Amino acid sequence: MRESSSTYASRIRRFRLPRLCIAVVGPDAPTMIERAESLVRDNPFIELRLDYLSQPLSALPKLKAFLEMHPEATFIATCRRTVNGGKFKGSVAAELAVLRKAADSGFPLVDLELQSAEALKAEDLKDLSNRVGVVLSYHNFKSTKKLDEQFGEMSKYPADFYKVVSTATNLYDNVAMMRFVEASSGKHEMVGLCMGEQGIISRVLGVRAGSIFTFGAATRGEETAPGQVLAGELRDTYRIDMVDQATQVYGVAGDPINHSLSPAMMNAAFRRETVNAVYLALHAKSLKDLLACVRDIPLRGLSITMPYKQEMVDALENSDPLTRQIGACNTVVRAADGKLYGFNTDVAGVMVPLEQRLQLAGTRVLIVGAGGVARAAAFGLKNKGAEVFLTNRTAEKGQSLARQAKVKYLKRVEVAKQAFDVIINATPVGMNGNKQSPLEEKELNTKFVFDLVYSPAETKLTKMAVAKGLQVIPGLEMFVQQGARQFEIWTGKPAPMAEMAYVVTKALERRAAEELAEQTKAPAKKAAKKSAKPAPRK
Ligand code: NAP
């Protein structure tokens, strides 16, 4: 054992490390310094990935000068070798030389991979840990398996922090990581998280379980590990600095889930109403995987989205009569007795915006689609006395729903021959990058078009409706209404709807701007590529 490990540990603990460490990469010292400089004021905990530098050793004098200018911040030096998933092509001895020099340049912490520690002589390891605080890391880029066994190997080596990073291949792997961190964090200073898209939630839940800190990326494209979340998102949306063991966990589950704006909206609502809760996006590839996690995470409440709204009903211990009637559930409460209770707030999501504009009894409404949301709309509108019509790509599915909800099924060819007061798009057509419309212009014989797609804010369908002089109800209204009801069911507090609508509107604007920037970049890239091609020989 090295004598000074406790000195470093206590010194580092006294720093009261922020929860969020931002990984900074760059090909040379000036670029890395420029990136770190732009971040350090708001993020005083930075990992400099020396393995991304073409000349790590010769870059260190410049980095030393930068560190001296920022005594308020904590820096980790990492020089991960390619065999361990990093970019450094040198030997273990060369890695050690870089880390030693980093220590002498003022880095208070260095990251050392377990494999490198195993290859080093005991005296070299001792020498390193006498110079600097050590984060001993273990990465598994394939799975989350045998964490305890692996940690048994790690704990043979003294370190100030033990960092265990695995890859989640399903949601339950996050539970395994949380349990591991919970069990080890009483005895050691632990950092634990899962990589991969399925492991995103572990970046928040790991901290809740006792991980001293987690990692975030500075910008998109600068991720240093698969599934790394943007630091700004961890800080502003998930309020990582506030997460503790008392933080209640909620989430939205579906497949796909990465485009959902529910985390932005619901976390903003929790923040506004000062509820100690965090709301995560759960990428559930199967309902079975999701249900295995619900109790173990433990989740207080869940929003259910495509494609699980109907399947979820069978997994509930109880539900309100409306949810049973509709046969689709978008809201789950895990009660104090551990049982799962289901609700359907999509109905309010569709009804409230319509009732704000129309008297629903006797109103002629066409629903396009026969999935979970179409079910909510069909039963909800029928209950209000509307004259409801339904059409769907797969006729049998549409006919079956029409029979159950006692509404009229229309073949697609019949749609253009009818006139409606409202047409509701309850399909994903028009959503996120899909530039299609579920109906043609000639089929829009209606006063209102309610496009339930909320991302993007404007779709081909809504543009067509506006051009035709029809009134448009944006999907955003449903999104906020259904979310507001969920918030109320979970917390018993009135939902901060204005805040929720504001956050989603801003997020949609940002998304549209990013998409536009991408579109303008694409032809420029193409042109650059073309002009870079050598001229054909004559
Ligand atoms: P779902 O259960 O998967 O149902 C999707 C429906 O859309 C099915 O009837 C399907 O027809 C139809 N469909 C899918 N792709 C189609 C295509 N290319 N052309 C024609 N029809 C197509 O989904 P859901 O949960 O009901 O959600 C549907 C949509 O509602 C979502 O995509 C989302 O945009 C929107 N939504 C909005 C909110 C909000 O708050 N604003 C909330 C939830 C959902 P088949 O039967 O032929 O497969």
Side-chain angles (χ1 to χ4, degrees), residues 274-474:
T274 54
V275 180
N276 183 7
V278 67
Y279 183 99
L280 306 167
L282 300 135
H283 186 179
K285 292 238 172 101
S286 74
L287 192 64
K288 194 169 157 227
D289 184 22
L290 174 68
L291 291 172
C293 297
V294 171
R295 291 179 174 88
D296 285 341
I297 281 183
L299 282 152
R300 285 288 194 102
L302 265 183
S303 310
I304 303 292
T305 186
M306 283 200 303
Y308 301 123
K309 287 184 181 180
Q310 284 159 263
E311 219 180 324
M312 189 68 209
V313 175
D314 294 332
L316 299 169
E317 260 102 3
N318 207 344
S319 55
D320 67 344
L322 186 64
T323 305
R324 279 198 295 278
Q325 185 196 24
I326 296 166
C329 159
N330 79 325
T331 309
V332 176
V333 175
R334 194 175 134 274
D337 59 7
K339 290 188 173 155
L340 303 182
Y341 293 82
F343 300 87
N344 193 312
T345 69
D346 282 338
V347 180
V350 177
M351 293 308 132
V352 175
L354 288 174
E355 285 179 316
Q356 284 167 348
R357 295 165 167 92
L358 290 153
Q359 172 65 256
L360 287 178
T363 299
R364 285 169 65 88
V365 185
L366 172 70
I367 300 166
V368 186
V373 176
R375 294 186 77 81
F379 282 98
L381 285 161
K382 182 75 187 172
N383 287 347
K384 293 277 178 184
E387 191 182 350
V388 185
F389 300 82
L390 193 137
T391 191
N392 188 46
R393 178 179 62 180
T394 310
E396 309 85 71
K397 219 170 125 193
Q399 283 159 348
S400 164
L401 171 57
R403 262 194 312 278
Q404 291 166 44
K406 300 189 173 56
V407 304
K408 292 172 198 143
Y409 186 78
L410 283 185
K411 284 189 196 149
R412 179 68 188 267
V413 288
E414 292 162 352
V415 169
K417 298 175 196 155
Q418 299 276 340
F420 308 98
D421 297 301
V422 183
I423 291 179
I424 300 176
N425 173 30
T427 76
V429 181
M431 195 167 82
N432 296 324
N434 176 318
K435 309 269 186 221
Q436 307 299 310
S437 164
L439 293 178
E440 290 174 34
E441 202 250 305
K442 65 171 192 243
E443 294 171 304
L444 301 182
N445 301 321
T446 180
K447 294 179 192 133
F448 289 88
V449 169
F450 190 179
D451 194 346
L452 303 188
V453 168
Y454 70 89
S455 176
E458 277 187 338
T459 60
K460 183 170 180 190
L461 173 65
T462 62
K463 282 181 197 156
M464 253 164 35
V466 170
K468 213 173 165 179
L470 309 177
Q471 296 187 60
V472 168
I473 311 175

Side-chain angles (χ1 to χ4, degrees), residues 34 51 60 68 84 128 149 214 220 339 382 399 406-407 428 505 514 521:
E34 195 187 322
D51 49 325
L60 277 163
E68 281 166 0
N84 301 127
L128 181 69
E149 213 173 283
T214 193
R220 270 187 229 295
K339 290 188 173 155
K382 182 75 187 172
Q399 283 159 348
K406 300 189 173 56
V407 304
T505 305
E514 278 168 16
K521 239 196 279 170

Side-chain angles (χ1 to χ4, degrees), residues 122-247:
E123 60 264 32
D124 285 337
L125 199 54
K126 191 173 172 192
D127 171 66
L128 181 69
S129 51
N130 281 341
R131 291 169 191 241
V132 68
V134 173
V135 181
L136 189 66
S137 314
Y138 163 73
H139 292 82
N140 179 340
F141 288 91
K142 288 204 178 114
S143 62
T144 300
K145 278 195 189 126
K146 301 184 183 160
L147 295 175
D148 291 318
E149 213 173 283
Q150 204 54 53
F151 187 60
E153 287 304 307
M154 291 179 89
S155 55
K156 289 181 188 162
Y157 300 91
D160 298 281
F161 298 93
Y162 292 94
K163 180 176 135 194
V164 177
V165 181
S166 63
T167 297
T169 55
N170 55 48
L171 276 181
Y172 201 78
D173 283 342
N174 296 283
V175 176
M177 178 56 79
M178 266 175 57
R179 288 205 171 135
F180 164 72
V181 172
E182 261 161 13
S184 344
S185 61
K187 294 171 236 138
H188 303 279
E189 304 287 326
M190 297 300 301
V191 177
L193 57 96
C194 298
M195 294 181 286
E197 207 214 331
Q198 299 265 293
I200 285 175
I201 59 170
S202 74
R203 294 176 183 271
V204 176
L205 293 179
V207 168
R208 184 178 179 274
S211 179
I212 305 287
F213 56 89
T214 193
F215 289 86
T219 62
R220 270 187 229 295
E222 283 185 276
E223 295 89 351
T224 54
Q228 203 170 67
V229 180
L230 288 186
E233 213 172 295
L234 282 169
R235 202 183 41 235
D236 304 334
T237 303
Y238 297 105
R239 293 178 294 153
I240 195 78
D241 284 323
M242 313 288 286
V243 170
D244 58 24
Q245 287 181 348
T247 303

